[in-house]
Each structure stands twice: as structure tokens, then as C-alpha cells.
Amino acid sequence: MRFEKISPPEEGKKIEYKNGKLIVPDNPIIPYIVGDGIGRDVVPAALDVLNAAAEKIGKEVVWFRIYAGEDAYKMYGTYLPEDTLNAIREYRVAIKGPLTTPVGGGYRSLNVTIRQTLDLYACVRPVYYIDGVPSPLKNPENVDIVIFRENTEDVYAGIEWPKGSKEAISIIEFLSKMGAKIREDSGIGIKPISEYATKRLVRLAIKYAIENGRKSVTLVHKGNIMKYTEGAFRDWGYEVAKEEFPELTITEDELWEKYNGNQPEDKIVIKDRIADNMFQQLLTRTAEYDVLAMPNLNGDYMSDFAAGLVGGLGIAPGSNIGDGMGVFEPVHGSAPKYAGQNKVNPTAEILSGALMFEFLGWKDGAELIKKAIEVTIKSRIVTYDIHRHVGGKLVGTKEFALAVIENMQSL
Ligand code: NAP
């Protein structure tokens, strides 16, 4: 038996992957995870919107429920069953709600485990302004960036040991022989960053920039301090551009030396910024940034910060992309205090579905969803997170999704 406790739907067809391309039927089977906390509010709402959009473009998603988090624990006695990973492997594209991660102890992040086990090496998060959403910026319409965050390495690789463990003590002893002094009562975490993982991430970011008419790719790093990890990330990033896209990219130096600052239409500028500077640049010189590529930890901070610039976590979608595989999820977490209250904003989950449609090649469906959300928010039908700043008609999660579906019908 392929699966222990779940059965795939009888209708629908599998998405295939051949010669580096996804082959998507008109009625793909797509697994979904409701997840923890507000997952039970936002995921059903998002699926309703996605169904309506698919129908409008003559397609149908055949949903296949799979389990992770608390639901999985009740069914399987484990938070991330093999059934779930196998279903994503087999069906290639999935959408999920948030999953809770305990802080300090307990089990490792299920989200990180899913990304690492399935080698979903790029966390891709577009951040752009939706008219009508309150923003702390004067010109939020200048925010239109796409963050490519490396997903498998860095201090997130999970190579860490607590204070006093035999592993931590032996590493401290080993390093002291190499002249590094580390206090004995230290916890130890390791930060690996490889040429292989850096290059495949930056390659994907550059390809995205080329395919979507973007102007620049900025490598965001702390290479001034962590030279052989973050600094190497920058160097390898420039190398990919030079070796694999020589006709289509120029560096920022070349932009000034060869082109006097006038960017040729057919070239993407590759630049780099130190991460701390990048935060303030996004505030002060917002329009100068476009696609951003960075290691795992920088990307985690930057994603929430960027989401905050355009109205917060309730509207920020995300995706985890590997070769021929994608898992789509909002940037926000499980916000347990709001779970089951039909209160939170489902926009981030819905827009994650729009990203999934783009990944499937259903660009018209994705546009339809984005437009319907814009129209809805602009007409001031909003959930609490937006309502508290600008007022309007306050609705719950379900009602917001219904309004989006209704607005979609007239597009
Ligand atoms: P969070 O769940 O993202 O919630 C933080 C705050 O963001 C909420 O209190 C709320 O702000 C706002 N927010 C989040 N989702 C919203 C939505 N859909 N609509 C409106 N506002 C929303 O972050 P957290 O409290 O730090 O994390 C809770 C759990 O989620 C943790 O276990 C964490 O590890 C996990 N997590 C999971 C993922 C994932 O599954 N990919 C990602 C991040 C975190 P207000 O309180 O101001 O209303």
C-alpha cells in the first residue's frame, strides 16, 4: 500500500514532471494540509476561493487531504507522518496552513522538516502593495519585491546541541585545539552554507527575474562579518550570474563603468547589500529593489519585515520550491490565540494559492484571484487586522472569502 491511513481521490490526475517541466492536467490532484491554529479558519476559506477561480478558467482542483501537526498526531501518533511526505512527493504540488513549533525544546519545526526532507530549496515570497491595505510607508506602492530565501542550510540546518551535552563539549574541545576559545557553558549551533545550495538558489532567482521582466537581483548577506559563509554566498551568487547568464546580467559596477548608470533593457543588474543596510534601504530607497536572494536566516527576518511594510502577515503569501515540486503556504504562523474564531485574514493563504496557480501555469487564474482580492479590500470589506487601521465593513474569515468569490464573478 502506498499510504497507511489516507486514500487519494478517485477522480483527478497526477501532475507529472518530465525533462525539467511540470505537466499539469486540467484536473490535478493536489494534497492540502489544514495545519494548526488558524489553519482551520484560513485553509477552507482559501480552498473555496481557489475552486471558484479554477472553475472560471475551465479547470478543477481535486483536493486530497493529508495531515501534519496536531491533526496528524491524533491520527498517527506523530506530527509529520510518512504518508504526508509521500503524498507530496508523489503529487508534487501541495498547499498548507501554518504549523505550530514549540520554542526552546520539543520537536523541530515541521515546516523546516518538510522543506528539508523534500529538498524544497527556495522559499519564494513576493511582497507587493494591495491598494486599500494600511501601510506604515508613505509610498507603499513602491514595494514590489520577490524574496528568494535559501531553505536548506545556514543555522536553520538543525545542527545544534544544548549546553553541557557530550556533543557540545567535544566540539568545544575540538575547537579549542584549533585556537578558538568558546565558553564551556555554551550551546552550539553550526552554520553551513555551500556553493551548491547557494548557486541553485541564485540561479532560480535570476531565472525568475529574466522570465518576469524584473530589473535586478540583490544578494543580501552579512559577508563583512561571516566571510566564509555569508561572504561566500555573495561571491558564489556573482559567479552564477557571470558563468551562466553572461549575456543577460551585469553587475552594479558594470552598470556605472560601461553604461553610465543607464540600465540596458535586456540586462538584469546583479548587486549586493549587507543585510543590516538592506533593512533600511527597503525603507528609504524602496523602489530600487526588485528580486532579493539571501541565506536562510536573513530571509526569515526580511520576509516578515517586508510583509509589515505592506500591511502585515495577514496578506503575505509564500512558497517552497524545489525541482519539479512546490509547497505553498502563508508567511504567517498558526496564531493560536485566534484559532477557530472565524476572525483572521485568509488573504495570505488565498494568495499562496494564487502562487500555486502560477506554478501550475494557470496565470489567468492567479490574476483573477489577485484582482478579486484587490477589489474586495478596496471596497473596504475587511477582516480585523485591516479594520483596526482603516475601518470599513468588518467581516470574518469565511465572509471575506465569500466576498472575494462574489467579486470574482464580475471580473
Ligand atoms: P503568527 O502565528 O504569524 O502570529 C503573529 C501575529 O501576526 C498574530 O498575533 C497576528 O497579529 C498576526 N497574524 C498572523 N496571521 C494573521 C492572519 N491570517 N490575519 C491577521 N493577522 C495575522 O506568529 P507567532 O505567534 O510568532 O507564531 C505562532 C506559531 O506559528 C509558532 O508556533 C510558530 O513557530 C508558528 N509559525 C509557523 C509558520 C509556518 O507554518 N510556516 C510560520 C511562522 C510561525 P495581531 O496579534 O497583531 O492581531
Side-chain angles (χ1 to χ4, degrees), residues 36 38 42 96-103 107 109-112 115 125 300 304 311-315 320 329-338 343-349 383-386 388-389 397:
D36 296 322
I38 55 169
V42 295
K96 66 179 275 294
L99 293 166
T100 298
T101 308
V103 177
Y107 53 88
S109 162
L110 302 175
N111 303 299
V112 174
R115 292 168 195 157
R125 292 172 170 174
D300 197 4
D304 274 32
L313 288 177
I315 61 160
N320 301 287
E329 62 175 346
V331 175
H332 66 69
S334 55
K337 66 180 177 183
Y338 294 129
K343 173 169 176 150
V344 293
N345 194 341
T347 299
E349 188 76 50
T383 42
Y384 84 97
D385 51 322
I386 296 183
R388 70 184 161 193
H389 297 292
T397 313

Side-chain angles (χ1 to χ4, degrees), residues 182-406:
I182 298 176
R183 290 188 187 93
E184 276 176 16
D185 59 349
S186 301
I188 296 286
I190 304 283
K191 178 183 176 78
I193 291 197
S194 70
E195 179 174 356
Y196 172 78
T198 299
K199 285 191 166 172
R200 69 178 175 174
L201 175 87
V202 176
R203 183 178 299 122
L204 200 69
I206 296 175
K207 273 191 186 157
Y208 175 91
I210 293 167
E211 283 162 15
N212 291 280
R214 296 285 183 155
K215 290 202 157 347
S216 66
V217 174
T218 306
L219 308 164
V220 182
H221 60 89
K222 281 291 292 179
N224 53 333
I225 307 294
M226 293 170 272
K227 296 184 194 304
Y228 306 118
T229 49
E230 302 252 341
F233 178 92
R234 180 200 60 181
D235 296 345
W236 290 323
Y238 278 119
E239 259 174 51
V240 180
K242 196 168 165 204
E243 287 167 6
E244 300 181 25
F245 305 94
E247 306 297 325
L248 297 172
T249 59
I250 51 172
T251 62
E252 204 170 24
D253 286 346
E254 285 169 332
L255 172 67
W256 290 99
E257 284 158 13
K258 286 195 194 156
Y259 300 97
N260 203 20
N262 300 312
Q263 181 170 352
E265 290 253 314
D266 60 340
K267 303 230 190 293
I268 287 158
V269 175
I270 310 295
K271 45 191 176 182
D272 78 279
R273 296 289 180 272
I274 291 176
D276 36 351
N277 177 28
M278 189 66 229
F279 280 90
Q280 64 99 13
Q281 294 259 314
L282 267 188
L283 282 174
T284 53
R285 308 176 75 140
T286 318
E288 289 174 28
Y289 295 95
D290 199 336
V291 174
L292 309 175
M294 62 198 83
N296 211 334
L297 180 62
N298 298 343
D300 197 4
Y301 295 152
M302 190 65 75
S303 302
D304 274 32
F305 171 74
L309 296 180
V310 293
L313 288 177
I315 61 160
S319 58
N320 301 287
I321 305 294
D323 293 326
M325 198 177 278
V327 173
F328 297 79
E329 62 175 346
V331 175
H332 66 69
S334 55
K337 66 180 177 183
Y338 294 129
Q341 295 178 23
N342 187 38
K343 173 169 176 150
V344 293
N345 194 341
T347 299
E349 188 76 50
I350 298 171
L351 288 176
S352 302
L355 288 181
M356 183 176 88
F357 275 21
E358 275 173 26
F359 190 70
L360 298 176
W362 297 359
K363 293 215 156 115
D364 44 354
E367 279 311 309
L368 208 56
I369 296 167
K370 286 196 244 174
K371 196 93 209 107
I373 283 188
E374 270 174 39
V375 173
T376 309
I377 293 177
K378 221 172 164 181
S379 71
R380 289 277 167 92
I381 297 176
V382 290
T383 42
Y384 84 97
D385 51 322
I386 296 183
H387 185 267
R388 70 184 161 193
H389 297 292
V390 292
K393 182 176 175 207
L394 176 64
V395 294
T397 313
K398 240 186 256 164
E399 292 69 31
F400 180 82
L402 285 175
V404 173
I405 293 169
E406 201 179 307

Side-chain angles (χ1 to χ4, degrees), residues 145-163:
I145 60 175
V146 185
I147 296 173
F148 282 72
R149 165 189 173 197
E150 206 289 325
N151 240 352
T152 64
E153 302 197 318
D154 203 344
V155 283
Y156 273 63
I159 311 170
E160 55 173 9
W161 294 279
K163 173 196 110 172

